[in-house]
Amino acid sequence: SKSEMPSYKLNYFDARGYAEVSRQLFVLSDTPYEDNRIPRDQWPELKKTMPFGNIPVLEVDGKQLPQSLAIARYLAKQFGFYGKTAFESAWVDAIADQFKDCLTEIRPFLFVAKSDGNEAEKERMKKEVALPAIEKHFGLLEKAAKNNGANGHFVGESLTFVDLLVSDFVGTFEAFLPGFSAPYPAVTSIRAKTIATPKIKEWIAKRNVTPT
Amino acid sequence: FSAISQSTMPAYKLYYFSIRGLGEVPRQILALADVKFENVGITKEQWPEFKSKTPFGQMPVLEVDGKQIPQSFAIARYVASQHGLAGKTPFEAAWVDALADQYKDFNNDFKKFFYLVLGFGEGDLEAAKLEHGIPARDKFFPLVVKQLKSNGTGFLVGDSVTWVDVLYAEGSSRVAHEVPGFLDDYPEVLEHAKKIHAIPQIKKWIEARPV
């Protein structure tokens, strides 16, 4: 009932990044939440109030929870987007962690790519950082997607939070590395199916447009 | 009351190199859960062929009745969740996950120094200590001490051991052993490792382990 539902507040920058998967989980489950987007100039002060000095941080009835995947998993469990068995859940976690390794490796490129100027540096980082990370990790993601039957989901027969996580970042990568996903048709079809999900499609059309 | 008889328990096999590394935490969690498992050590010679049989070309891999799960945290959480070692509530379980991921963030930086200490890769050890080791340590361990103090039970989350206690205890004790004195400013962290390693199933594993 409404009175039993906790109040949720998601704190992050005005960006998709590591918070978008959780926003989409709220949207998919029709769960109200406060989408608190912290302006960059307020961050130095607010940083001190976050448990690990980083965001996203979810507040559940005022209690803080840091770390993007911990937040996503917590919400996914509540709302039913974490696989249908313990084994499926383990595979959602495994693919999410594998993808997080990809993000860690590619982040220096994204940081440079979304800044103004310095085209030579962008090109160098694309060759030395971004493309190797993509080749290493997307090959594995494609394999996982194919092993699951290339059915538009990474795990099982229905949407899980790792579909949301990867799909949004594929959109980001596509903007900075056009055509990069051509060798990965099963991953591409997961993104296509995910963003065509009615509530997600509606959310994408109305959310703030941000580079990352 | 357990509804699971010995005959319906799944057969667990954990595959990793015969070193502690990323395999040690899953092994300790299996031991802590009192779960029988086959601890398979893959040699350097066996690895190229075995690699192609793993989902992500990496280890550790847990096999559950022949079906594989990759990624050390996914393995740890899977075993822990089934044996009461992942927190008592969904929010506690989420904090266990958050602390584990924060450790991973710390290690991503710290390993630029620590791998050199362990003899992997090449580089200037002293420079790496100044640039990566010390800053990563002093950014991370105050948070750990804060968490231990505010939780107040001797465990990182809740009032009983969880898989993230095992993760942190292995990490901190390894660092303290390989770089003597390195964690002396964080006695609460060393106390925590001692407490976790004194848990009978873990103590027994540590005493009997091959490496």
Side-chain angles (χ1 to χ4, degrees):
Chain A
S1 76
K2 255 237 169 84
S3 60
E4 286 164 6
M5 231 174 28
S7 73
Y8 295 107
K9 180 176 175 182
L10 185 65
N11 301 285
Y12 195 58
F13 295 118
D14 182 19
R16 290 171 290 114
Y18 289 98
E20 187 64 10
V21 54
S22 291
R23 292 189 185 116
Q24 293 186 8
L25 287 166
F26 284 121
V27 159
L28 274 174
S29 61
D30 286 317
T31 305
Y33 76 109
E34 189 185 335
D35 183 10
N36 183 36
R37 295 174 183 242
I38 297 170
R40 294 270 168 180
D41 60 359
Q42 284 179 25
W43 174 236
E45 266 308 299
L46 284 169
K47 185 178 164 81
K48 302 171 198 171
T49 68
M50 302 299 171
F52 297 150
N54 54 31
I55 43 180
V57 167
L58 177 71
E59 288 172 51
V60 184
D61 286 337
K63 295 188 300 175
Q64 293 176 312
L65 173 67
Q67 283 288 349
S68 61
L69 292 189
I71 295 166
R73 184 178 300 105
Y74 173 75
L75 295 173
K77 267 190 223 174
Q78 312 259 79
F79 304 146
F81 298 103
Y82 188 44
K84 301 284 190 254
T85 65
F87 190 82
E88 282 191 4
S89 300
W91 264 92
V92 172
D93 291 340
I95 295 171
D97 272 358
Q98 191 65 35
F99 186 67
K100 194 175 174 197
D101 288 347
C102 179
L103 292 176
T104 301
E105 287 170 30
I106 209 174
R107 194 174 339 143
F109 163 74
L110 289 178
F111 187 74
V112 167
K114 70 177 180 182
S115 62
D116 293 322
N118 211 344
E119 295 306 316
E121 180 64 2
K122 285 179 189 176
E123 200 48 42
R124 184 191 74 80
M125 293 217 80
K126 175 178 163 181
K127 284 205 182 83
E128 292 178 17
V129 172
L131 294 179
I134 297 280
E135 195 180 321
K136 175 176 162 190
H137 294 285
F138 273 75
L140 299 174
L141 293 173
E142 182 71 9
K143 186 178 163 195
K146 286 201 169 110
N147 284 346
N148 195 47
N151 63 358
H153 301 295
F154 275 111
V155 179
E157 307 282 321
S158 59
L159 189 124
T160 66
F161 81 80
V162 70
D163 295 330
L164 300 174
L165 177 73
V166 175
S167 295
D168 197 71
F169 276 102
V170 166
T172 299
F173 297 166
E174 192 61 42
F176 295 111
L177 303 162
F180 92 92
S181 60
Y184 314 111
V187 174
T188 305
S189 73
I190 290 175
R191 169 170 160 84
K193 189 178 172 96
T194 300
I195 65 175
T197 309
K199 289 176 184 161
I200 298 295
K201 186 173 174 190
E202 191 190 322
W203 166 249
I204 289 172
K206 76 174 194 197
R207 71 185 176 189
N208 279 12
V209 176
T210 56
T212 56
Chain B
F1 169 77
S2 172
I4 302 173
S5 72
Q6 202 55 34
S7 61
T8 61
M9 283 284 268
Y12 289 111
K13 280 188 187 176
L14 185 75
Y15 295 88
Y16 193 62
F17 298 108
S18 295
I19 58 171
R20 278 158 67 184
L22 292 172
E24 185 62 11
V25 168
R27 291 176 188 128
Q28 285 190 15
I29 291 162
L30 286 159
L32 182 61
D34 273 319
V35 168
K36 268 194 21 211
F37 71 102
E38 195 182 329
N39 184 32
V40 183
I42 299 289
T43 65
K44 273 210 320 239
E45 292 72 37
Q46 294 168 324
W47 174 231
E49 199 205 319
F50 186 70
K51 185 182 164 95
S52 63
K53 299 189 181 134
T54 65
F56 293 156
Q58 294 169 333
M59 295 195 289
V61 167
L62 179 71
E63 238 178 51
V64 185
D65 286 338
K67 296 190 299 178
Q68 293 182 326
I69 299 171
Q71 282 286 346
S72 63
F73 282 10
I75 293 167
R77 189 182 295 107
Y78 173 79
V79 176
S81 299
Q82 311 211 66
H83 294 95
L85 298 168
K88 299 262 164 60
T89 66
F91 197 76
E92 279 189 7
W95 260 91
V96 169
D97 293 341
L99 285 160
D101 278 355
Q102 195 62 32
Y103 176 87
K104 196 184 256 189
D105 287 349
F106 152 73
N107 196 47
N108 275 338
D109 206 16
F110 189 68
K111 69 187 182 189
K112 293 169 191 169
F113 160 62
F114 201 57
Y115 280 7
L116 294 178
V117 171
L118 297 176
F120 298 115
E122 300 199 346
D124 183 333
L125 193 73
E126 276 313 304
K129 189 178 190 180
L130 285 171
E131 198 184 328
H132 296 291
I134 290 171
R137 173 193 69 186
D138 295 339
K139 183 175 162 193
F140 177 66
F141 283 103
L143 299 176
V144 182
V145 170
K146 184 173 153 203
Q147 178 64 25
L148 284 168
K149 283 184 171 163
S150 77
N151 193 44
T153 64
F155 302 104
L156 283 164
V157 177
D159 58 12
S160 59
V161 66
T162 65
W163 68 271
V164 76
D165 288 306
V166 176
L167 173 71
Y168 275 56
E170 168 64 11
S172 64
S173 62
R174 193 81 203 270
V175 170
H177 178 77
E178 301 286 345
V179 192
F182 198 68
L183 295 182
D184 282 358
D185 285 345
Y186 305 101
E188 296 87 353
V189 171
L190 299 172
E191 274 307 306
H192 171 262
K194 259 180 61 197
K195 180 186 172 82
I196 301 309
H197 289 172
I199 296 173
Q201 295 94 329
I202 296 183
K203 183 164 189 269
K204 189 167 155 208
W205 170 261
I206 290 174
E207 282 165 1
R209 72 186 167 196
V211 282

